[in-house]
Amino acid sequence: MFTRTEAFAPFTAELRLLNSDILLEHAQQVAALAVAIVQEETQSDALSEKTYLAGLLHDVGVFALFERYPQYYARILELAVERKSPFWQEEFSVIETTHALVGAYLLGLWGLDDEIVRTVAHHHQPSRSDDTEFTMLTAVHVADALCRDGCTGLLRQQSWLDDVYLERLGLTHRVPVWEAICENATCIEALP
């Protein structure tokens, strides 16, 4: 039986900045927070179960891209920190794709539920989806953004929340409720 560290060692051997334990802990925290948000909004156990899986898998593409492009990941991380920009934007600028798109592609190949695949694909840019109401994507996006923001957008110059998306759904008034849920959780930032 492998430990988490041993199982993901091939992905982190060349780059110490990519810490698989932190990525896995972040995934668990996003999954748990997303479920809490789903429960607050819908009280649906079925949606909560699928949301938990989507939250766990939302950054799976990081591992795949790191395996394929380890030589670029140091530069991607440097650019994200230097420019104070989202990691996924720097991925796109350097390798012309993102971990969200690659992760969704892999999950689709593996036969996962289409809604989970769509959630992973759009978790950083949900406004690119055709959502018109609260969905699993909403919960995972908000959970990931709040974990990165330290539970409040006030800690960063620019929040990770997609305001265009939340406005389209008519949910901007719910952000303080979700921030309060997040404050009762322990979130860490896995990537810049």
Side-chain angles (χ1 to χ4, degrees), residues 111-122:
L112 268 77
D113 179 274
D114 287 344
E115 190 176 3
I116 292 172
V117 171
R118 189 178 71 81
T119 296
V120 170
H122 296 298

Side-chain angles (χ1 to χ4, degrees), residues 14 25 47 57 59 71 92 110 116-117 133 145 174 187:
E14 295 180 54
E25 189 173 345
L47 183 59
L57 296 173
D59 282 339
Q71 69 276 23
F92 196 82
W110 297 338
I116 292 172
V117 171
E133 62 186 14
R174 299 299 293 161
C187 288

Side-chain angles (χ1 to χ4, degrees), residues 74-126:
R75 182 66 183 142
I76 290 168
L77 288 166
E78 287 172 14
L79 287 171
V81 170
E82 178 183 305
R83 296 177 180 170
K84 296 181 178 145
S85 60
F87 181 75
W88 60 268
Q89 285 180 351
E90 299 307 336
E91 282 178 329
F92 196 82
S93 73
V94 173
I95 58 177
E96 298 180 353
T97 193
T98 68
H99 68 275
L101 296 174
V102 169
Y105 179 76
L106 289 174
L107 297 177
L109 288 176
W110 297 338
L112 268 77
D113 179 274
D114 287 344
E115 190 176 3
I116 292 172
V117 171
R118 189 178 71 81
T119 296
V120 170
H122 296 298
H123 75 271
H124 288 300
Q125 296 178 291

Side-chain angles (χ1 to χ4, degrees), residues 9-192:
F11 297 113
T12 58
E14 295 180 54
L15 182 62
R16 294 183 192 275
L17 292 173
L18 185 63
N19 185 318
S20 61
D21 286 335
I22 291 174
L23 283 170
L24 292 170
E25 189 173 345
H26 169 73
Q28 291 169 339
Q29 291 167 348
V30 167
L33 180 55
V35 167
I37 291 169
V38 164
Q39 285 298 308
E40 175 68 27
E41 298 300 318
T42 71
Q43 296 80 42
S44 169
D45 292 336
L47 183 59
S48 292
E49 288 177 22
K50 286 173 54 175
T51 299
Y52 188 79
L53 183 56
L56 281 178
L57 296 173
H58 79 281
D59 282 339
V60 70
V62 171
F63 294 106
L65 284 174
F66 179 73
E67 181 181 19
R68 176 67 176 100
Y69 300 108
Q71 69 276 23
Y72 296 118
Y73 260 70
R75 182 66 183 142
I76 290 168
L77 288 166
E78 287 172 14
L79 287 171
V81 170
E82 178 183 305
R83 296 177 180 170
K84 296 181 178 145
S85 60
F87 181 75
W88 60 268
Q89 285 180 351
E90 299 307 336
E91 282 178 329
F92 196 82
S93 73
V94 173
I95 58 177
E96 298 180 353
T97 193
T98 68
H99 68 275
L101 296 174
V102 169
Y105 179 76
L106 289 174
L107 297 177
L109 288 176
W110 297 338
L112 268 77
D113 179 274
D114 287 344
E115 190 176 3
I116 292 172
V117 171
R118 189 178 71 81
T119 296
V120 170
H122 296 298
H123 75 271
H124 288 300
Q125 296 178 291
S127 57
R128 291 189 170 196
S129 74
D130 57 1
D131 284 355
T132 57
E133 62 186 14
F134 181 90
T135 66
M136 170 190 330
L137 172 59
T138 313
V140 171
H141 167 69
V142 169
D144 185 46
L146 290 178
C147 279
R148 293 179 187 284
D149 285 344
C151 295
T152 175
L154 299 176
L155 295 179
R156 290 186 181 263
Q157 283 182 319
Q158 180 181 6
S159 173
W160 289 72
L161 287 171
D162 186 337
D163 294 327
V164 170
Y165 173 74
L166 294 176
E167 286 173 21
R168 183 174 79 211
L169 273 53
L171 293 173
T172 53
H173 69 285
R174 299 299 293 161
V175 172
V177 173
W178 300 330
E179 288 175 338
I181 293 169
C182 184
E183 287 173 3
N184 293 324
T186 304
C187 288
I188 63 166
E189 181 178 341
L191 297 168

